[in-house]
């Protein structure tokens, strides 16, 4: 792990969840829970900035800190975790989403689509569910119909799966085909793309949150592991990639910590808190 010189505490910690803060099994380790609590006790706000939709935040609610706010869906939604209330969303216009669907379906046959929106989740029949929420009631219909009949109004995230393509190849091709209509990124080990409104990223929503609280980017430390974290890691005054991060993230971020399995975020937080105490 890169050594941290003695310096004042940051005002805000922005951390991704899956692959970064959470253990490989998706839980918060005792060491990480203690580090998060110590940071909050020291007056450092901890904000979870995740690709997860709001409906997948309940399991980490106990560790959200005093403010209770998380940035979800790669910046597409801001959630009061404890109350389960969406504070604001950044929708992808249905017309732009329809264009993206049409382009990807034509250029990348086999693509299947799903939608996250304030009212829940909807998908095409070809979009297989393999994670939490597969038993939740939701609409199943062709993407074009869902986008035109009002069932996904206010959608803040479009998801696309492909059964055969390499994940990075899928991302590159999708950006070539439809990148001028939306933000396209990925955080999954499989060929699953996450699409938001143009200009909406983890960084854009985090910057807006920090501005509303008078926090400068130089006072922010960020952690991440996948391409959907790159904008946030570049925006923050200080950034760390965990050792298990995607090669593009490891190459883009100068400071590295140990893997999520070794509590990489906690290791840095402990060092920051100890350094500030010594100073």
């Amino acid at each position: 792990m890169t050594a941290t010189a003695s310096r004042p505490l940051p005002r805000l910690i922005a951390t991704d969840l899956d692959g970064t803060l959470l253990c490989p099994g998706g839980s918060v380790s005792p060491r990480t829970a203690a580090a998060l609590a110590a940071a909050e006790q020291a007056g450092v706000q901890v904000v979870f900035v995740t690709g997860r939709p709001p409906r997948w935040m309940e399991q980490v609610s106990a560790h959200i800190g005093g403010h209770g706010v998380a940035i979800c869906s790669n910046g597409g939604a801001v959630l009061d975790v404890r109350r389960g209330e969406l504070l604001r969303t950044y929708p992808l216009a249905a017309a732009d989403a329809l264009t993206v669907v049409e382009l990807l379906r034509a250029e990348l046959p086999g693509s299947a689509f799903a939608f996250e929106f304030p009212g829940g989740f909807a998908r095409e029949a070809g979009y297989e569910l393999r994670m939490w929420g597969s038993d939740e009631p939701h609409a199943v219909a062709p993407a074009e119909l869902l986008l035109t009949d009002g069932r996904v109004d206010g959608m803040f995230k479009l998801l696309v799966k492909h059964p055969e393509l390499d994940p990075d190849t899928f991302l590159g091709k999708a950006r070539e085909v439809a990148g001028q209509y939306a933000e396209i990124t990925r955080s999954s080990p499989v060929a699953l793309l996450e699409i938001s409104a143009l200009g909406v990223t983890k960084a854009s929503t985090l910057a807006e949150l920090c501005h509303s609280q008078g926090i400068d980017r130089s006072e922010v430390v960020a952690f991440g592991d996948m391409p959907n974290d790159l904008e946030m890691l570049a925006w923050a005054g200080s950034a760390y990639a965990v050792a298990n991060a995607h090669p593009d993230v490891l190459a883009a971020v100068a400071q590295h910590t140990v893997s999520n399995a070794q509590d990489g975020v906690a290791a840095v937080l402990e060092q920051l808190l100890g350094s500030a105490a010594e100073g």
Side-chain angles (χ1 to χ4, degrees), residues 83-184:
R83 298 196 305 180
E85 177 184 343
L86 281 174
L87 300 178
R88 53 191 169 278
T89 63
Y90 302 85
L92 171 60
D96 290 335
L98 186 59
T99 298
V100 171
V101 167
E102 291 172 345
L103 290 171
L104 295 185
R105 206 187 292 284
E107 296 295 328
L108 300 167
S111 295
F113 302 88
F115 307 88
E116 295 283 353
F117 55 100
F121 173 78
R123 66 181 175 94
E124 293 190 307
Y127 186 98
E128 295 183 2
L129 294 179
R130 297 181 180 177
M131 295 185 73
W132 312 290
S134 59
D135 57 346
E136 296 174 1
H138 57 270
V140 180
E144 292 84 352
L145 179 59
L146 291 169
L147 284 166
T148 54
D149 70 4
R151 276 184 281 179
V152 297
D153 281 353
M155 169 194 51
F156 44 77
K157 190 174 184 182
L158 169 63
L159 298 154
V160 194
K161 280 186 178 181
H162 198 280
E164 298 173 354
L165 287 175
D166 167 80
D168 286 325
T169 300
F170 191 25
L171 175 60
K173 289 180 177 290
R175 284 175 168 172
E176 287 178 14
V177 170
Q180 72 261 44
Y181 297 101
E183 299 292 338
I184 306 176

Side-chain angles (χ1 to χ4, degrees), residues 3-212:
T4 304
S6 178
R7 59 176 175 172
L9 280 175
R11 291 183 62 190
L12 188 143
I13 299 293
T15 180
D16 173 54
L17 290 177
D18 299 286
T20 301
L21 182 82
L22 303 183
C23 298
S27 62
V28 178
S29 75
R31 180 184 179 188
T32 294
L36 294 174
E40 288 277 350
Q41 183 66 30
V44 181
Q45 183 177 166
V46 179
V47 176
F48 296 156
V49 189
T50 178
R52 288 187 180 205
R55 61 196 178 94
W56 285 0
M57 293 301 294
E58 184 175 348
Q59 73 179 121
V60 294
S61 62
H63 307 282
I64 196 67
H67 56 90
V69 172
I71 295 171
C72 302
S73 297
N74 295 328
V78 179
L79 178 72
D80 182 320
V81 177
R82 290 199 178 86
R83 298 196 305 180
E85 177 184 343
L86 281 174
L87 300 178
R88 53 191 169 278
T89 63
Y90 302 85
L92 171 60
D96 290 335
L98 186 59
T99 298
V100 171
V101 167
E102 291 172 345
L103 290 171
L104 295 185
R105 206 187 292 284
E107 296 295 328
L108 300 167
S111 295
F113 302 88
F115 307 88
E116 295 283 353
F117 55 100
F121 173 78
R123 66 181 175 94
E124 293 190 307
Y127 186 98
E128 295 183 2
L129 294 179
R130 297 181 180 177
M131 295 185 73
W132 312 290
S134 59
D135 57 346
E136 296 174 1
H138 57 270
V140 180
E144 292 84 352
L145 179 59
L146 291 169
L147 284 166
T148 54
D149 70 4
R151 276 184 281 179
V152 297
D153 281 353
M155 169 194 51
F156 44 77
K157 190 174 184 182
L158 169 63
L159 298 154
V160 194
K161 280 186 178 181
H162 198 280
E164 298 173 354
L165 287 175
D166 167 80
D168 286 325
T169 300
F170 191 25
L171 175 60
K173 289 180 177 290
R175 284 175 168 172
E176 287 178 14
V177 170
Q180 72 261 44
Y181 297 101
E183 299 292 338
I184 306 176
T185 190
R186 60 171 287 255
S187 64
S188 172
V190 302
L192 169 62
L193 304 183
E194 303 164 49
I195 302 177
S196 306
L198 204 60
V200 174
T201 65
K202 289 187 175 186
S204 67
T205 304
L206 177 62
E208 185 175 299
L209 176 67
C210 288
H211 179 74
S212 71

